[in-house]
């Protein structure tokens, strides 16, 4: 009887322990963030339903590459290995978007049944204000019950426990309350992947394809603005600089960035726009225009004329029959570039 009673007690204890683990396991994020360190890789999963605000921030920081070139500034054997906040720990500068997310803070998110009870738990660091959590966080190297209900638990290590064991072997020095490694423990790079169990292959492919389309579109836009082809030699060089062209490109940029259309479709829209404008050039028009100014530069290459004027005046009218005195006249600020191919004016652009 005593043996049966003891077995029941043991089963209850195991069930209680497994209950917490099972709950956390069910709530693991599909994302896995990977830290590549001097001692090996560490894979992290998150608890989005337990600490949604914290997970949103930390995952965004990983996806933006904010933890790259950072380091573990604290290694307290049997207690925690702590990653520095990205604003002060990185050895590389951050761009505007990274700085925006790096400066964010999140409120305390705690639950009585989610505890600092084992190696690998992720715990968000903070200042005295409970709602001051930021980018710095600790990985538990052992149980720390005194942190329960005081610090947000937002995930766990899924691979790389042996890396944590290696971290604990480094030489350290104590400075105040912190036990710190004598030499910098680098986080060389990070990346985010998706677990096979919670993200179907087709979803993963679609996600990657969307991101690649967006990247290709952005690269194409960058290429056209930074490495322009000679005016008149490509369709994309015509009329893109006008108000209508600018508005179209801006709208397509938003749609591609938000994933609503692919970069290939956006490119087809622009090509159709270019074709329409080119066809319009072939049609006779009754409008007339005159540009008068100082000729600063001209060149002729491969049947393409380029003229650059300064102190220019633009006179225009919607019909050839309108007398000169009734034409609209406009002073043009800066320089004006005219591109002519086969004696046809293809482009007028203000410098």
């Amino acid at each position: 009887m005593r043996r049966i009673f003891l077995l029941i007690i043991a089963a209850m204890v195991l069930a209680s322990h497994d209950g917490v683990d099972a709950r956390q396991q069910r709530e693991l994020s599909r994302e896995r963030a990977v830290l590549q360190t001097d001692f090996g890789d560490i894979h992290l999963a998150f608890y989005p339903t337990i600490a949604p605000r914290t997970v949103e921030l930390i995952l965004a920081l990983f996806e933006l590459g904010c933890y790259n070139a950072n380091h573990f500034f604290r290694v307290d054997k049997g207690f925690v290995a702590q990653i520095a906040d990205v604003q002060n720990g990185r050895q590389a500068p951050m761009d505007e978007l990274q700085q925006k997310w790096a400066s964010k803070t999140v409120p305390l998110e705690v639950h009585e049944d989610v505890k600092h009870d084992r190696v690998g738990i992720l715990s968000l660091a903070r200042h005295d204000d409970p709602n001051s959590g930021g980018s710095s966080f600790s990985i538990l190297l052992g149980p720390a019950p005194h942190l329960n209900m005081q610090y947000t638990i937002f995930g766990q290590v899924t691979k790389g426990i042996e890396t944590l064991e290696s971290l604990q072997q480094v030489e350290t020095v104590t400075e105040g309350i912190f036990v710190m490694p004598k030499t910098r423990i680098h986080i060389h790079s990070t990346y985010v992947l998706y677990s096979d169990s919670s993200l179907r292959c087709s979803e993963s492919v679609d996600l990657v394809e969307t991101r690649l389309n967006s990247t290709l579109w952005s690269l194409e836009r960058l290429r056209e603005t930074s490495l322009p082809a000679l005016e008149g030699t490509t369709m994309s060089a015509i009329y893109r600089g006008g108000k209508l062209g600018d508005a179209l490109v801006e709208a397509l940029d938003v749609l591609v960035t938000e994933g609503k259309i692919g970069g290939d479709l956006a490119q087809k829209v622009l090509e159709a726009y270019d074709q329409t404008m080119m066809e319009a050039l072939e049609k006779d028009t009754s409008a007339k225009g005159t540009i008068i100014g100082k000729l600063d530069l001209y060149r002729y290459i491969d049947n393409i004329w380029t003229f650059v004027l300064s102190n220019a005046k633009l006179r225009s009218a919607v019909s050839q029959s309108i007398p000169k005195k009734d034409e609209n006249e406009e002073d043009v600020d800066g320089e004006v570039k005219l591109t002519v191919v086969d004696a046809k004016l293809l482009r007028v652009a203000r410098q």
Side-chain angles (χ1 to χ4, degrees):
M1 185 68 180
R2 176 181 174 82
R3 182 179 180 184
I4 294 175
F5 179 75
L6 290 175
L7 287 174
I8 291 174
I9 293 295
M12 290 175 63
V13 170
L14 288 173
S16 175
H17 185 271
D18 290 344
V20 173
D21 289 349
R23 173 183 172 181
Q24 294 178 347
Q25 185 66 34
R26 285 196 303 270
E27 295 174 342
L28 286 182
S29 62
R30 66 182 187 179
E31 296 88 358
R32 299 290 187 269
V34 182
L35 300 164
Q36 297 186 301
T37 78
D38 293 323
F39 295 88
D41 292 356
I42 305 172
H43 293 233
L44 314 177
F46 306 110
Y47 302 154
T49 57
I50 293 175
R53 296 282 298 278
T54 302
V55 170
E56 179 188 19
L57 173 61
I58 299 299
L59 185 56
L61 292 170
F62 270 107
E63 290 180 333
L64 289 170
C66 293
Y67 289 102
N68 295 347
N70 201 358
H71 70 121
F72 285 89
F73 82 94
R74 180 184 188 185
V75 178
D76 196 337
K77 188 173 183 179
F79 180 34
V80 297
Q82 186 172 347
I83 294 174
D85 73 273
V86 297
Q87 288 181 304
N88 297 305
R90 276 173 56 105
Q91 291 182 320
M94 291 189 290
D95 62 28
E96 184 176 349
L97 183 59
Q98 288 174 320
Q99 291 173 357
K100 176 181 176 181
W101 278 91
S103 64
K104 290 180 180 289
T105 58
V106 291
L108 184 66
E109 298 177 287
V110 294
H111 305 270
E112 290 187 356
D113 57 344
V114 181
K115 304 180 184 298
H116 295 78
D117 58 359
R118 64 187 186 278
V119 173
I121 288 291
L122 308 182
S123 182
L124 191 67
R126 61 173 176 81
H127 300 292
D128 291 338
D129 180 358
N131 299 319
S132 61
S135 59
S136 177
F137 65 90
S138 297
I139 303 176
L140 260 61
L141 302 177
H146 62 287
L147 301 181
N148 292 340
M149 301 301 292
Q150 302 297 317
Y151 293 86
T152 298
I153 293 174
F154 65 93
Q156 68 183 55
V157 172
T158 57
K159 291 173 63 177
I161 295 298
E162 67 282 356
T163 300
L164 298 181
E165 294 173 354
S166 297
L167 289 181
Q168 298 192 73
Q169 308 308 314
V170 302
E171 294 187 23
T172 59
V173 58
T174 301
E175 295 186 11
I177 64 171
F178 295 114
V179 180
M180 309 170 70
K182 288 186 176 181
T183 58
R184 184 181 176 93
I185 300 176
H186 297 89
I187 298 173
H188 297 289
S189 63
T190 63
Y191 61 92
V192 177
L193 52 82
Y194 296 84
S195 62
D196 295 335
S197 62
S198 59
L199 184 66
R200 296 193 304 272
C201 180
S202 60
E203 291 177 335
S204 181
V205 171
D206 289 343
L207 181 63
V208 171
E209 185 176 4
T210 298
R211 289 179 176 176
L212 284 176
N213 277 333
S214 178
T215 301
L216 288 172
W217 167 258
S218 298
L219 288 174
E220 179 64 18
R221 306 267 40 84
L222 180 63
R223 184 195 67 78
E224 291 185 2
T225 56
S226 301
L227 299 171
L230 187 63
E231 286 86 346
T233 60
T234 63
M235 299 292 287
S236 60
I238 304 170
Y239 284 110
R240 295 278 182 88
K243 290 183 178 179
L244 182 58
D246 282 343
L248 178 60
V249 171
E250 183 178 350
L252 292 173
D253 278 340
V254 172
L255 292 173
V256 172
T257 301
E258 294 179 351
K260 293 180 179 178
I261 65 172
D264 52 346
L265 177 58
Q267 193 62 40
K268 289 179 181 178
V269 171
L270 277 185
E271 290 172 358
Y273 170 78
D274 291 337
Q275 183 63 37
T276 300
M277 301 307 293
M278 281 294 291
E279 291 173 356
L281 281 174
E282 303 298 327
K283 297 180 180 179
D284 292 334
T285 178
S286 61
K288 63 178 179 177
T290 305
I291 298 178
I292 302 173
K294 176 186 175 184
L295 181 61
D296 294 332
L297 174 71
Y298 71 92
R299 69 183 181 189
Y300 179 78
I301 302 176
D302 194 22
N303 211 32
I304 299 171
W305 284 96
T306 301
F307 304 94
V308 177
L309 305 176
S310 60
N311 300 322
K313 291 182 180 293
L314 173 64
R315 301 176 63 90
S316 61
V318 297
S319 173
Q320 298 281 350
S321 62
I322 294 178
K324 186 173 182 179
K325 66 182 180 63
D326 293 329
E327 292 177 353
N328 295 320
E329 184 172 298
E330 178 185 0
D331 290 328
V332 181
D333 295 331
E335 295 180 328
V336 176
K337 179 189 290 185
L338 295 86
T339 304
V340 179
V341 177
D342 292 332
K344 293 180 180 178
L345 179 64
L346 286 189
R347 183 169 183 170
V348 177
R350 297 184 185 184
Q351 296 291 83

